[in-house]
Each structure stands twice: as C-alpha cells, then as structure tokens.
Amino acid sequence: MSEPNVRKYVIDPILDELGWDTPERNETEYFVGTKKVDYALKVHGRPFVFVEAKKEGNLAESGEDQLFEYAATKGGVPLLVLTDGNVWKFYLSMADGLPSERLFLELSLKESDSSPNLLTEMEAVLHYNNVESYSARRRAEELLDKKREPERRWSALTEIWAKVLKYPEGNLVVEYLLEEVRDAGIAADVEHVTEFLTDLNSADQISSLGTHPTRVSTPSPRIVVGTPKRKPKSGKTSSKARTKLKGFTFGGKVYSEENSVNTLKAVLVLLASGDKRFLSRLESATTTKKSRFVSRDRDKVYHAATLKRKIHDLGNGWYVGVNLSTAQSVDKIEKACEVAGVKFEKDLKLIPAE
C-alpha cells in the first residue's frame, strides 16, 4: 500500500482503538521546526509519542534518522513509532546509543503467529491510558533492558576474561593448561603458559575461537598477560611489570629485602603481627577453587604437585604461594593492604630495585 492508504486503512483505525480518537490527543501533520511529523500523540496538550508512517515495505534506516531528528528538535518526546502498517517499530528516544540500539519492540501484523500477545504488547506501549500513566514508558524501559541484557552480559564476561588472563596466579585456565601440558610429558611453567595466552590473544586468532554474534565486526582488544617478554609497540613496559622489589617502608621504618618474593612475605608477616585475624581474612578474600594464596594447611595452597616447591613457610603457622611474577607480587601486596586497612603506596610504600 501507498503511504496515504497505510495511514487511512491501518494506522488511523489502530490509533482510534488505542484511545487517540480526538484531535486534542492526535494531531496529524504536526510541525516540528520547519518539518512535519505524521502523528503527534498528545497527553494534556503535550506530545508524548511521534508516529512516522511509510509506504508498505519502505522502513529504511533513513526513516529512523528522520524520526529521531523530529524528537531531537522538539525534545521531551519519550516514545517514537515507525511503521509501514505491517511492521511497527517502537523506540525509546531518551535512551543512549544509535537509533537502532534504542529499538525496544518490533511487531508484525501479518506475521501474528510470531507474536501471540501482539494486542497486549501494542496496548502496553501505545494505549492512551498507559502513555498518560507513564506505564508505557516503564514498559519500554523494561523491554529495552531485557533486549540489551545479552550485550551487557557479553561485556561483563569480556572484562572478567581480561582479568583472568591478566592475573594467572590462581587462574583455573592457566593451571589447567599447565597440568595438561606437563601430563603430556612437556616441560612448562606458568610463564610459558601465560606467554602462549598472550600470543593467542591476537585479534585474528581469538576470533577463530568463537565470537559473540553481535560483535563479529568488533576487533578483540589486546590483553597483556603477566609480564610480556616482547616489548609493546611503544617500546615501554609498565614499571609494575618490569621493576623488581627490594623492600618497603611502613610506619617510618625501612624494611630491606633481597627480592620481590621476600618483600611480599615480609609485608604479610608484618601486617599479621599487629592483627591476629588478618591472614584469615586474606585467605577468604583470595581463595579460588584451585588454590589458596595463604593457608594454614600447606597442601591447600596449590593443588598441582609441580607447584609445591613454590609454597613458602611464613614462620607463624601460615604458608603462602609464591609462584608469582613481580607484577603479581605487587597485586598481592596491594590486596593485603586492602584487607588490613592500610593505604597502599601511602602508608606502605614499595621500594623498587635500582
């Protein structure tokens, strides 16, 4: 059908049935600046919904842009509808993102089998009573949140995966790979596995492992795992990853140590000396399914037999796992300060090796 017929035989009757059956509520050819939107649906004289009509089969992206241009010019119009009579697209104008990302509901009158609750859904977001009571807008927000949930979930998982790769200590993926490689009779340690994951995490290779369908065209971010052996393009590595430690200062005193691991152990012993519950709280805060950073039970620190030599006695009935790079040691010290209520790099400052 042509646009005039779409309006006369489809849109007008539907809007009348939904309560927009008076000129005070439904103003056609409504001026927005120098242009006109097909329908302005009003509540108490104020436009709450803009409806733009197109001829059947002509819902191009330009129609979205046109509709959002009207909304931006007028301002304060929360709901937008683009329809060719058959397909009805509903948008929340004040949401963030591109116009297509603000689409919260799409209904097809001809393909009613795909939406058994079509009438209920149409009334929920477009009936005059629901628009007036703001329940239509609340429903629009609910539907948009539900639609965006997979994207938010994917983003959250991406961020968590980045953290998993960045901190291999206690990492189930790293420990599993390490055990499997060693079971195959190949000599390997944590550094080898993390270097492998760093190389694997290039955009080309990670895409072959499977990508989220909505993000196929999005390049995978480069995630640095542990301490990279190769320098990045800038020619620099972070001081946190590069610089080893030779002690720390706390309470105006200097505590000199030989290396990063001894610095870590000395910090734990010092913090524990003033707080009997400190190591217990630290254990709870750092325990994973496969390992414990600190524990009274030596066998619970690392499950893998090959890592037993990386378990050190703190001399106070507690053991600590030190299969750590310098960067990871710094992270563990920072976590220990957080648990102890000590301000890291203010109350307790690390001393880098020369």
Side-chain angles (χ1 to χ4, degrees):
M1 290 189 291
S2 65
E3 182 181 321
N5 283 341
V6 166
R7 294 178 62 173
K8 181 178 180 180
Y9 296 111
V10 183
I11 300 176
D12 290 349
I14 287 177
L15 293 182
D16 285 348
E17 287 295 324
L18 292 173
W20 308 99
D21 52 355
T22 65
E24 293 77 19
R25 295 181 179 182
N26 182 355
E27 183 175 341
T28 58
E29 303 299 326
Y30 179 81
F31 272 97
V32 181
T34 59
K35 300 180 180 180
K36 292 185 290 186
V37 64
D38 293 330
Y39 300 85
L41 307 184
K42 297 180 177 181
V43 175
H44 306 306
R46 173 190 163 192
F48 268 60
V49 185
F50 279 166
V51 181
E52 186 66 14
K54 297 295 179 183
K55 70 177 182 179
E56 189 175 7
N58 192 38
L59 291 183
E61 187 175 302
S62 58
E64 285 184 349
D65 295 336
Q66 182 183 16
L67 189 56
F68 274 86
E69 182 182 347
Y70 295 147
T73 302
K74 179 62 179 177
V77 181
L79 301 176
L80 307 176
V81 181
L82 179 65
T83 179
D84 66 352
N86 171 34
V87 176
W88 291 65
K89 293 185 173 183
F90 298 84
Y91 303 84
L92 189 61
S93 70
M94 299 175 185
D96 58 352
L98 299 172
S100 60
E101 296 171 337
R102 300 184 229 184
L103 175 71
F104 65 85
L105 179 64
E106 182 172 333
L107 301 175
S108 174
L109 304 190
K110 290 184 178 180
E111 299 175 6
S112 58
D113 289 345
S114 64
S115 182
N117 298 317
L118 184 146
L119 179 60
T120 302
E121 293 171 338
M122 180 79 81
E123 288 185 333
V125 297
L126 200 55
H127 196 285
Y128 174 83
N129 293 339
N130 293 328
V131 174
E132 182 187 34
S133 66
Y134 286 87
S135 67
R137 180 168 178 175
R138 289 194 293 271
R139 179 58 178 163
E141 292 170 348
E142 290 172 3
L143 290 172
L144 188 59
D145 282 344
K146 184 176 180 180
K147 181 182 177 184
R148 290 182 170 182
E149 184 60 33
E151 182 74 9
R152 289 197 298 269
R153 182 167 55 246
W154 180 255
S155 296
L157 286 170
T158 301
E159 291 180 10
I160 293 169
W161 179 241
K163 293 177 182 178
V164 167
L165 293 183
K166 187 176 180 181
Y167 302 108
E169 161 59 17
N171 178 341
L172 299 181
V173 175
V174 173
E175 291 191 2
Y176 174 76
L177 288 173
L178 190 59
E179 288 184 26
E180 290 295 315
V181 170
R182 286 171 171 168
D183 287 346
I186 299 172
D189 56 25
V190 169
E191 187 175 7
H192 295 131
V193 174
T194 53
E195 182 181 12
F196 164 75
L197 289 175
T198 301
D199 292 340
L200 186 66
N201 194 44
S202 65
D204 292 339
Q205 292 186 33
I206 203 165
S207 64
S208 67
L209 300 179
T211 54
H212 191 273
T214 63
R215 290 183 172 249
V216 172
S217 61
T218 304
S220 300
R222 179 73 175 177
I223 303 168
V224 177
V225 185
T227 306
K229 287 189 174 181
R230 290 186 296 272
K231 293 183 179 180
K233 291 182 180 179
S234 65
K236 298 178 181 179
T237 56
S238 70
S239 59
K240 186 176 181 180
R242 184 182 65 249
T243 305
K244 296 187 180 300
L245 305 176
K246 66 172 186 179
F248 63 98
T249 62
F250 182 72
K253 294 182 62 177
V254 176
Y255 297 83
S256 298
E257 300 295 337
E258 294 180 357
N259 51 44
S260 301
V261 168
N262 286 351
T263 298
L264 169 63
K265 291 163 56 179
V267 168
L268 297 181
V269 171
L270 178 64
L271 295 178
S273 65
D275 182 352
K276 294 182 179 180
R277 297 287 302 162
F278 162 69
L279 288 172
S280 295
R281 297 198 307 275
L282 184 62
E283 180 182 22
S284 298
T286 56
T287 294
T288 69
K289 291 182 180 179
K290 295 275 288 189
S291 67
R292 299 190 183 199
F293 172 49
V294 292
S295 177
R296 287 186 179 277
D297 188 339
R298 188 178 187 278
D299 292 334
K300 290 183 178 180
V301 176
Y302 291 125
H303 290 204
T306 51
L307 295 177
K308 295 300 183 183
R309 59 188 177 84
K310 293 291 187 176
I311 301 172
H312 289 197
D313 188 347
L314 290 177
N316 56 5
W318 286 81
Y319 296 89
V320 60
V322 295
N323 187 42
L324 305 168
S325 65
T326 298
Q328 293 160 350
S329 295
V330 174
D331 288 332
K332 294 298 185 184
I333 292 172
E334 186 174 359
K335 184 64 177 179
C337 288
E338 177 187 329
V339 171
V342 172
K343 294 181 179 178
F344 179 67
E345 293 293 26
K346 185 174 182 181
D347 298 335
L348 187 148
K349 296 182 179 180
L350 299 177
I351 304 173
E354 297 297 334

